[in-house]
C-alpha cells in the first residue's frame, strides 16, 4: 500500500498521511498535538484490511513515523542524559535538518525518474541477434593478447588486501559488566543493604540498567530481595532474611 | 558512398541491426563519411520518422542513436510478444536509482545513509534488472554502483547530463528556514527545561 | 484500429520488434484486425520499402514476414558490427575472472564469498563471452567454473602456468591453499563492510 493512500482521522487532523507530514513540516499542524500512536493504529488497521504485507511500504512507514517520533521527542523531552548526547542542540538540529533536506531532494529526483519512465511507456527497442554473417567474436577473429595478464594479478592482489579496520572510537563502548555490578551490590549487601539510588549514585544510564540486571540476578540466586513503597519510589535492597535498612530519602 | 539518400538508407539499416545505440562518429566511420554528413542524413531520417509518420522513431539515447517503436504499436506489441514492457519501479527502487544516478559511483552504505533505511533489496533488484552495475570498489572495499547504458535507454536520456539539476527538488529557502527555525526552537526549549520539570504525558 | 495507415505503422513496429518471421494470422491477432486487412497493410508497407526506397525491406520467409536490411548497407554493417571487438573488462568481471583463473575449478558461491558481493552477472557475462566455462559440480552441487582456451589466447598466455605471480601485489607469496584461505578471509571482511547495517559490528 502506498503511504499516500493512508487516510487518517485524528483529533487534530483528518486527511492523508502525506498531507499530515507536509503540514507538520510547515508547522501548520502542531506535532505535539498529534497522537502518533493513533497514526500507527490507523496504519495497522489498513494493513489488516489489506491482508498482505508490502515490506517496502512498511519500511517507508517505519522511517517516517520514526522521524516524526524523533522530532516529537525533541519537542517534548525535558533533557536527555548528557553522556548520550554529544551534539549540542543546535548541531543536532542542523544535522537533522541537513538529513531531511537531502532525503527530500532524492525523493524528488525519484519522482522525476518515475515520470520519465512513464513517459517512455510504449517505446520499445529491438533485441535480436545479429544475422549470422555479422556475428562477431568468432574465435579465429579474436586477436591474441588483447588483454594484459597483469590485469588478473592486480585484481587478485586487490582482493587479498584486508580492508582497513573501521574506526569505532566515536561509538560509546559499554565498559560496565554484570559481574562488576554484582560484586558492587554484594559489597553493599555485606554492609546490610542499600537503596537502589545509592547503588547507582552518579552512574550513567547504561550502568543503571546493568545494575538492575545484576540485582535481578541476585534475586534469582536468592541472595537479595527488595522493596519499593510506591511507583517511582526508591528501591530498598537487602540481603535475604535480613531486615530492611532505613528507607533512603528519595531524590 | 554517393548521395545523401543512400547514406540515409545505410544508416537506417545500421541502426536496425545494432543492438545498442551507436555514437555518431562510429556511424561515420562505418559508412566511411564525415560526421557532418551523418548528422545531415540522420536529420532527414528523423524527419521521415517524425511521430505519426511511421511505426518507428529515431531516438538519441545513451550517447548514441537508435531506432525504437512508436507507442502506437504498444498494445499490439504486448499481445504479440506476450510480455509487459517494463515493470514499474517501487518507490524504494526509484529512490535508490535516483541516488545512484546523481552521486555515482556510490556505495550501498552511502545510499543507506541518505535514505535512512537499507537499500539492500532495492539495489539487488536494480542490479538484476541491469539498471545499475558495479563500478569498482571504494577505498574501504565496498562495491560502488553506477547506472548502465540500459538505464539511459529505458529512461530516454541522451546522457547523464540530461538529468535535471538535483537542486531542483530542494525545498524553497523559506521552507528550509522555517524548518531550521523550528528545529532550533525545539532544541532551545529542551535546553531551557530543567531536569526537575514534569515530563509531559507520553502520548506519542 | 482505425485506418490502414495506423495499421501499417503498427505492423512495421511489430516486425521491427520480432527477431523471427511472424505469420500473417499472428500479426492479425496482435493487431486485432482481419487477415485481409493485414495483407493489405503489408502490401502498402512492402511498396514503401521497395528496394532502393529505404534501408529496410520486407521479406516473406519461412511462412512469415520479417524486416531485413537492404544489401546496400552490408559493407558498412560489416565495418560497424563484424569487426572483432574486445570490450574492456569491467572491474567486477576482472575480479571474477582472476579468481577463476587462479583458483580453478571454483564455484560461484565461493567467488561471491571471496569478492564479498555477488558475482552473478559478471560470471554470466564471462560465460557468454566464452572466457570461462562450466567444469562439473562441486561436492555440494554448485557449478564449478574454469577458464577456456579462448581466455588463454585473449591474455596471450601459453598455459595457466604462465599466469603472472601475485607476489607483486602481495608481499608474501604463498601456496594455493593459503591463497584461497586468505582471499576468503578478506572477502568476509569486505562483506561486513558492504552490508547495510547502520552500525558496524564491533570487531568489523
Amino acid at each position: 500500500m502506498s503511504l499516500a493512500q493512508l487516510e487518517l482521522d485524528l483529533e487534530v487532523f483528518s486527511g492523508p498521511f502525506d498531507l499530515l507530514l507536509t503540514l507538520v513540516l510547515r508547522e501548520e499542524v502542531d506535532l505535539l498535538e498529534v497522537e502518533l500512536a493513533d497514526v500507527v493504529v490507523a496504519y495497522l488497521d489498513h494493513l489488516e484490511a489489506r491482508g498482505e504485507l508490502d515490506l517496502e511500504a512498511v519500511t517507508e512507514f517505519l522511517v517516517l513515523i520514526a522521524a516524526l517520533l524523533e522530532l516529537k521527542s525533541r519537542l517534548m523531552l525535558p533533557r536527555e542524559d548528557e553522556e548520550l548526547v554529544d551534539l549540542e542542540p543546535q548541531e543536532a538540529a542542523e544535522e537533522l535538518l541537513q538529513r531531511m533536506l537531502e532525503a527530500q531532494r532524492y525523493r524528488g529526483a525519484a519522482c522525476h525518474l518515475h515520470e520519465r519512465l512513464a513517459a517512455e511507456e510504449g517505446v520499445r527497442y529491438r533485441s535480436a541477434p545479429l544475422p549470422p554473417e555479422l556475428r562477431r567474436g568468432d574465435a579465429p577473429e579474436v586477436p591474441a593478447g588483447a588483454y594484459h595478464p597483469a590485469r588478473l594479478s592486480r585484481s587478485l592482489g586487490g582482493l587479498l588486501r584486508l580492508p582497513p579496520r573501521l574506526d569505532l572510537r566515536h561509538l560509546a563502548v559499554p565498559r560496565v559488566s554484570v559481574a562488576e555490578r554484582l560484586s558492587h551490590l554484594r559489597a553493599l549487601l555485606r554492609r546490610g543493604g542499600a537503596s537502589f539510588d545509592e547503588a547507582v549514585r552518579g552512574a550513567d544510564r547504561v550502568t543503571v540498567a546493568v545494575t538492575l540486571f545484576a540485582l535481578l540476578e541476585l534475586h534469582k540466586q536468592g541472595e537479595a530481595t527488595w522493596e519499593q513503597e510506591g511507583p517511582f519510589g526508591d528501591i530498598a535492597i537487602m540481603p535475604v532474611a535480613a531486615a530492611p535498612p532505613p528507607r533512603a530519602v528519595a531524590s | 558512398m554517393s548521395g545523401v539518400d543512400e547514406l540515409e538508407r545505410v544508416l537506417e539499416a545500421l541502426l536496425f541491426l545494432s543492438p545498442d545505440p551507436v555514437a555518431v562518429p562510429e556511424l561515420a566511420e562505418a559508412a566511411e563519411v564525415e560526421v557532418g554528413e551523418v548528422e545531415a542524413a540522420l536529420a532527414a531520417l528523423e524527419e521521415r520518422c517524425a511521430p505519426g509518420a511511421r511505426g518507428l522513431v529515431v531516438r538519441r539515447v545513451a550517447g548514441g542513436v537508435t531506432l525504437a517503436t512508436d507507442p502506437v504499436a504498444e498494445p499490439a506489441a504486448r499481445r504479440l510478444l506476450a510480455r509487459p514492457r517494463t515493470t514499474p519501479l517501487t518507490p524504494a527502487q526509484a529512490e535508490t536509482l535516483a541516488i545512484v544516478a546523481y552521486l555515482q559511483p556510490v556505495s550501498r552504505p552511502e545510499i543507506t545513509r541518505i535514505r535512512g533505511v537499507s537499500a539492500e533489496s532495492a539495489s539487488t533488484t536494480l542490479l538484476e534488472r541491469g539498471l545499475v552495475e558495479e563500478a569498482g570498489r571504494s577505498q574501504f572495499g565496498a562495491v560502488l554502483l553506477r547506472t548502465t547504458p540500459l538505464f539511459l535507454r529505458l529512461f530516454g536520456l541522451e546522457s547523464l547530463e540530461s538529468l535535471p539539476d538535483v537542486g531542483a527538488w530542494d525545498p524553497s529557502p523559506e521552507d528550509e528556514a522555517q524548518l531550521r527555525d523550528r528545529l532550533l526552537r525545539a532544541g532551545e526549549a529542551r535546553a531551557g527545561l530543567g531536569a526537575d520539570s514534569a515530563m509531559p504525558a507520553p502520548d506519542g
Side-chain angles (χ1 to χ4, degrees), chain A, chain B:
Chain A
M1 177 186 76
S2 152
L3 280 179
Q5 292 169 251
L6 178 61
E7 283 287 329
L8 297 170
D9 189 10
L10 310 174
E11 265 182 46
V12 292
F13 172 83
S14 148
F17 182 62
D18 273 8
L19 180 59
L20 174 65
L21 268 184
T22 310
L23 293 177
V24 162
L25 289 179
R26 286 197 197 147
E27 214 187 347
E28 284 166 30
V29 164
D30 187 350
L31 186 55
L32 281 175
E33 290 177 16
V34 179
E35 304 267 353
L36 292 178
D38 290 351
V39 177
V40 174
V41 168
Y43 187 63
L44 290 176
D45 286 347
H46 258 264
L47 282 186
E48 204 169 83
R50 235 180 106 82
E52 65 179 90
L53 196 59
D54 177 349
L55 282 180
E56 302 272 14
V58 172
T59 310
E60 190 192 351
F61 178 76
L62 275 177
V63 171
L64 291 173
I65 201 78
L68 283 178
L69 277 170
E70 184 180 354
L71 191 58
K72 184 166 181 176
S73 67
R74 277 173 193 277
L75 292 169
M76 63 189 290
L77 279 183
R79 194 158 58 104
E80 287 177 39
D81 202 325
E82 299 293 342
E83 288 190 14
L84 293 178
V85 181
D86 45 7
L87 289 177
E88 289 301 308
Q90 290 205 347
E91 286 176 70
E94 191 58 36
E95 196 202 300
L96 184 63
L97 177 73
Q98 290 311 323
R99 278 175 50 186
M100 291 166 100
L101 293 178
E102 194 174 24
Q104 191 161 337
R105 190 178 296 147
Y106 290 105
R107 261 199 287 281
C111 286
H112 173 74
L113 288 182
H114 247 300
E115 285 161 18
R116 271 214 92 96
L117 191 61
E120 291 293 305
E121 181 69 37
V123 177
R124 285 184 191 244
Y125 298 93
R126 182 175 148 90
S127 96
L130 284 179
E133 69 273 17
L134 288 178
R135 270 181 212 157
R136 68 177 103 127
D138 291 347
E141 292 177 25
V142 174
Y147 296 126
H148 203 288
R151 180 80 194 275
L152 294 173
S153 49
R154 200 169 55 232
S155 292
L156 203 70
L159 287 171
L160 273 169
R161 266 200 319 275
L162 279 166
R165 286 184 72 84
L166 289 179
D167 184 356
L168 300 173
R169 277 174 302 186
H170 60 290
L171 294 179
V173 179
R175 286 182 200 83
V176 52
S177 67
V178 173
E180 185 193 316
R181 299 312 287 172
L182 272 175
S183 66
H184 173 65
L185 286 175
R186 283 190 177 119
L188 292 174
L189 287 171
R190 276 197 295 278
R191 279 188 273 143
S195 83
F196 190 76
D197 276 4
E198 276 174 53
V200 298
R201 180 148 297 146
D204 59 30
R205 271 190 352 198
V206 175
T207 308
V208 174
V210 176
T211 307
L212 191 65
F213 291 148
L215 186 55
L216 292 169
E217 181 65 21
L218 286 177
H219 185 262
K220 196 173 87 183
Q221 305 288 343
E223 292 179 47
T225 182
W226 58 71
E227 257 175 33
Q228 185 181 31
E229 299 217 321
F232 301 110
D234 192 19
I235 302 168
I237 308 166
M238 57 224 125
V240 165
R247 196 173 171 277
V249 181
S251 53
Chain B
M1 197 64 57
S2 69
V4 173
D5 261 331
E6 185 176 321
L7 180 55
E8 196 186 318
R9 288 165 57 208
V10 168
L11 292 181
E12 184 179 14
L14 292 182
L15 296 182
F16 175 81
L17 289 173
S18 196
D20 298 305
V22 197
V24 171
E26 274 188 87
L27 289 172
E29 204 179 304
E32 297 187 324
V33 297
E34 295 303 313
V35 165
E37 295 175 67
V38 170
E39 285 291 4
L42 278 177
L45 183 62
E46 269 170 327
E47 201 173 314
R48 281 210 296 147
C49 294
R54 283 182 44 188
L56 306 180
V57 293
V58 179
R59 309 221 59 201
R60 308 231 178 196
V61 285
V65 190
T66 189
L67 288 177
T69 57
D70 187 298
V72 72
E74 177 59 14
R78 228 179 256 262
R79 285 187 289 268
L80 180 70
L81 305 172
R83 59 166 187 254
R85 188 180 153 267
T86 38
T87 342
L89 298 171
T90 67
Q93 288 161 7
E95 254 179 67
T96 305
L97 189 58
I99 293 170
V100 175
Y102 280 96
L103 298 182
Q104 57 189 305
V106 61
S107 70
R108 290 191 198 197
E110 177 75 0
I111 300 170
T112 298
R113 191 191 64 74
I114 292 172
R115 294 192 57 222
V117 55
S118 167
E120 196 56 43
S121 98
S123 45
T124 304
T125 310
L126 294 174
L127 277 162
E128 278 166 8
R129 289 179 63 176
L131 292 170
V132 304
E133 65 185 3
E134 291 183 27
R137 292 177 184 272
S138 76
Q139 53 171 329
F140 302 111
V143 167
L144 297 169
L145 298 177
R146 67 173 169 222
T147 54
T148 60
L150 178 65
F151 159 75
L152 292 174
R153 194 146 48 121
L154 283 182
F155 284 78
L157 293 163
E158 186 157 12
S159 72
L160 289 171
E161 277 75 54
S162 340
L163 283 171
D165 184 0
V166 74
W169 298 288
D170 282 348
S172 69
E174 294 78 32
D175 285 352
E176 183 181 335
Q178 257 187 354
L179 191 55
R180 173 177 283 120
D181 263 14
R182 177 116 202 279
L183 287 166
L184 287 182
R185 250 182 295 133
E188 277 155 21
R190 192 184 56 181
L193 287 170
D196 294 326
S197 59
M199 192 178 306
D203 65 347

